[in-house]
Amino acid sequence: MKYVIIGGTHAGIAAARTISKSDPNAEVIIMEMKDSVSYISSGINLLFDGVIDNLEEASYATPAALESEGIKLMLGTEVLHVSTEDKRLYFVNADKQYSYSNYDKLILANGSKVVKPHIKGIDNENVVFYKNLEESKKAMEQLCPTNKRILIVGAGLVGLALASSIYEGRKGEKVDITVVEAMEGVLTRYVDQEIGNQIIDDLREKGIKIVLKNDVHAVNVDENNKIVSVSTTDQEIACDLVVFSVGLKPNNDFLRDAVELNQNNTIKINDYMQTSDKDIYAAGDNAGFKQTVSQRREYQPLVNNAIKGAIVAAYNCTGLFSPVKVETTQGTAGMNLFGHYLATTGVTEENAPYIGLDVRSNTIENKIQYDYVKNGSKILIKVVYRKDTEVIVGAQIYSKHDILDMINIMSVAINMQMTMAKLSSMDFYFNPEYNKALNTLNEVALTRRNKNRHIGK
């Protein structure tokens, strides 16, 4: 059986490896338009944070390693057209030679591309977009000089993570960073205003300028084509470098004649990751993912969703196993942001009405350890639950203490439709050095009847 995978993305590699391990006799080919595979798009953050020494290290699968596993790579190969009638892929390679290849089964893992707004000055050399390795290298050349006034457009996960990494990577140096966001708060898809406001306060305390409720309308340059400012909804902001981080969109234009697409240009798939063509599957940033709470498919390009979907697509593609359904997602995310850990899962209280949910919430801020622990940490946690059943539908956690693993508990709670009553008596470990006998998750559930915010002493 010949399996062809379009895209050396996280999803593409997960699919290829799953097929190779499941079917030793399979011919597995990855066609990738770039010259590298498995690049982690947050490589710039890892470099500023000192985790890696160069961007090439931001990868977990080398071409040599994949080929040693029996996976054939065709790098620099762009698929131009998929002919489903004769199961043939038409492509152009790095030498600009046009050819084709047949397939028995096809997995689409072609990923996404950054959203590029149509505004004046967007093509200036000091306007930065980055996702792949080549774009990230170019971006680093522009971000490295320390005397630049950097303006980041977009206060989502990627934009704030970049601002944090630049700030932390330049400790002791003056950093001039402005973040411009069209919405009324930061991370509005992931946190409610009370958590978002705390994040904004912490950012401003470190000298990061936050401009909300403003769209960027133009990038302004001088007579030498150097950026001098951006024009927003109600002001002009001086800057030397502009980084756009306003989201991703699926890279599916070449597939319009091959498989059915949704209105948002994502590939239409079923719960088995199968497309409208029975021999073609899809996974990754090119498709939507069904949300646990709403049971709707949404476009939420997260690596964990991409890899889960790819493994399921690969299993089902081989036909060697009983059909496997992919689990729904809670959209769980975690990050280190200016010395604080932020983790979220499920829906927010503010977004719940848009999916028809009547919810309540409880928020507490408390010490994680008992008072005798020196330099103890506080935690701010919010849990969102249905009004009628008290089933948990969302959680947000923010602390200087590394609480990222705690969000996995809440993700499972949402997936298992756990109630607040159940969470209030769940068993958690206790160690007098690290936490309290009554865990913070127990506490936030036990105080659900009290709508007044509780501040732990």
Side-chain angles (χ1 to χ4, degrees):
M1 185 79 74
K2 183 178 181 180
Y3 301 89
V4 179
I5 299 162
I6 301 178
T9 58
H10 303 299
I13 290 169
R17 282 179 157 164
T18 302
I19 293 172
S20 182
K21 292 175 182 177
S22 303
D23 184 1
N25 298 317
E27 180 184 2
V28 183
I29 300 171
I30 295 177
M31 292 184 175
E32 167 56 45
M33 68 169 65
K34 303 297 181 183
D35 294 326
S36 59
V37 295
S38 82
Y39 175 70
I40 297 171
S41 58
S42 58
I44 286 179
N45 305 48
L46 298 176
L47 190 56
F48 272 116
D49 292 342
V51 176
I52 58 176
D53 296 320
N54 60 73
L55 289 173
E56 283 81 2
E57 293 178 17
S59 174
Y60 56 84
T62 64
L66 291 170
E67 289 173 355
S68 72
E69 297 171 28
I71 299 167
K72 180 181 177 182
L73 288 177
M74 296 175 63
L75 298 179
T77 301
E78 180 180 3
V79 177
L80 304 173
H81 177 68
V82 178
S83 175
T84 57
E85 290 184 2
D86 51 8
K87 291 189 174 182
R88 185 171 288 181
L89 305 175
Y90 293 88
F91 61 86
V92 58
N93 64 22
D95 297 324
K96 304 300 182 184
Q97 295 177 329
Y98 291 82
S99 187
Y100 66 87
S101 175
N102 292 97
Y103 65 87
D104 294 312
K105 298 285 185 178
L106 177 64
I107 294 182
L108 305 171
N110 42 291
S112 59
K113 53 188 175 183
V114 294
V115 173
K116 187 175 182 179
H118 298 288
I119 61 172
K120 175 188 171 185
I122 196 71
D123 293 321
N124 187 277
E125 64 179 1
N126 284 314
V127 173
V128 176
F129 297 87
Y130 68 93
K131 186 173 187 288
N132 59 49
L133 178 58
E134 292 78 10
E135 292 168 342
S136 296
K137 285 181 177 179
K138 182 180 178 182
M140 277 303 299
E141 292 175 2
Q142 296 163 301
L143 289 167
C144 275
T146 58
N147 59 346
K148 287 188 176 180
R149 296 167 297 175
I150 301 171
L151 186 140
I152 298 172
V153 184
L157 291 176
V158 176
L160 289 188
L162 177 64
S164 176
S165 293
I166 294 172
Y167 177 88
E168 297 294 340
R170 293 181 177 173
K171 283 199 170 166
E173 300 175 0
K174 184 179 179 182
V175 179
D176 190 331
I177 300 175
T178 301
V179 180
V180 179
E181 169 58 47
M183 304 296 286
E184 295 185 2
V186 300
L187 297 164
T188 53
R189 184 169 185 172
Y190 296 92
V191 301
D192 286 307
Q193 192 170 14
E194 59 200 296
I195 306 289
N197 286 344
Q198 183 62 59
I199 294 171
I200 290 171
D201 289 344
D202 290 336
L203 266 60
R204 285 176 172 160
E205 186 178 310
K206 295 181 182 295
I208 307 301
K209 296 181 281 291
I210 305 290
V211 180
L212 301 175
K213 296 191 289 186
N214 269 253
D215 285 303
V216 173
H217 297 290
V219 178
N220 306 311
V221 300
D222 62 15
E223 63 275 8
N224 298 314
N225 206 34
K226 298 295 183 182
I227 294 177
V228 293
S229 67
V230 298
S231 298
T232 70
T233 303
D234 60 20
Q235 58 188 289
E236 187 169 323
I237 305 171
C239 59
D240 306 303
L241 179 69
V242 182
V243 183
F244 275 87
S245 178
V246 292
L248 302 172
K249 60 182 179 180
N251 194 23
N252 291 334
D253 292 343
F254 74 102
L255 296 170
R256 290 194 177 278
D257 297 328
V259 294
E260 192 173 350
L261 302 180
N262 296 304
Q263 287 187 340
N264 63 354
N265 210 39
T266 56
I267 299 170
K268 186 171 286 189
I269 55 173
N270 60 22
D271 291 340
Y272 302 92
M273 308 305 291
Q274 189 177 43
T275 71
S276 54
D277 186 298
K278 65 181 180 63
D279 293 319
I280 303 179
Y281 292 74
D285 291 0
N286 56 11
F289 223 87
K290 186 178 285 187
Q291 306 293 306
T292 300
V293 177
S294 69
Q295 289 296 299
R296 301 175 184 174
R297 288 197 185 277
E298 296 181 14
Y299 188 60
Q300 194 171 26
L302 297 173
V303 174
N304 41 349
N305 290 342
I307 291 178
K308 284 190 304 182
I311 292 171
V312 169
Y315 278 137
N316 292 331
C317 190
T318 64
L320 299 175
F321 308 91
S322 298
V324 180
K325 277 189 176 183
V326 69
E327 272 292 334
T328 55
T329 180
Q330 290 74 253
T332 307
M335 63 193 300
N336 187 324
L337 197 61
F338 293 90
H340 288 76
Y341 293 90
L342 172 68
T344 75
T345 187
V347 300
T348 66
E349 185 174 19
E350 290 159 12
N351 290 332
Y354 295 103
I355 59 173
L357 288 185
D358 187 4
V359 299
R360 295 294 180 266
S361 70
N362 203 67
T363 305
I364 64 170
E365 187 175 12
N366 222 337
K367 286 186 176 181
I368 298 174
Q369 305 95 346
Y370 287 115
D371 288 342
Y372 58 74
V373 177
K374 296 177 182 178
N375 301 315
S377 301
K378 280 191 173 184
I379 183 171
L380 177 61
I381 179 169
K382 177 173 185 173
V383 177
V384 183
Y385 53 93
R386 292 177 184 265
K387 178 186 176 182
D388 53 353
T389 62
E390 292 197 347
V391 168
I392 297 166
V393 296
Q396 303 150 44
I397 308 175
Y398 187 62
S399 176
K400 287 185 178 181
H401 189 75
D402 186 355
I403 43 72
L404 294 181
D405 278 344
M406 189 180 288
I407 205 65
N408 288 330
I409 297 172
M410 297 308 297
S411 177
V412 172
I414 296 169
N415 186 272
M416 302 300 292
Q417 299 187 332
M418 184 182 292
T419 64
M420 290 290 276
K422 183 77 169 177
L423 180 64
S424 70
S425 60
M426 284 292 293
D427 180 38
F428 299 102
Y429 89 95
F430 165 61
N431 184 303
E433 184 177 348
Y434 302 115
N435 62 358
K436 296 179 180 178
L438 188 64
N439 190 277
T440 304
L441 295 178
N442 298 131
E443 285 194 88
V444 72
L446 283 167
T447 56
R448 67 190 184 280
R449 300 294 182 188
N450 179 9
K451 294 303 297 177
N452 296 318
R453 181 170 169 180
H454 167 68
I455 305 294
K457 301 297 185 182

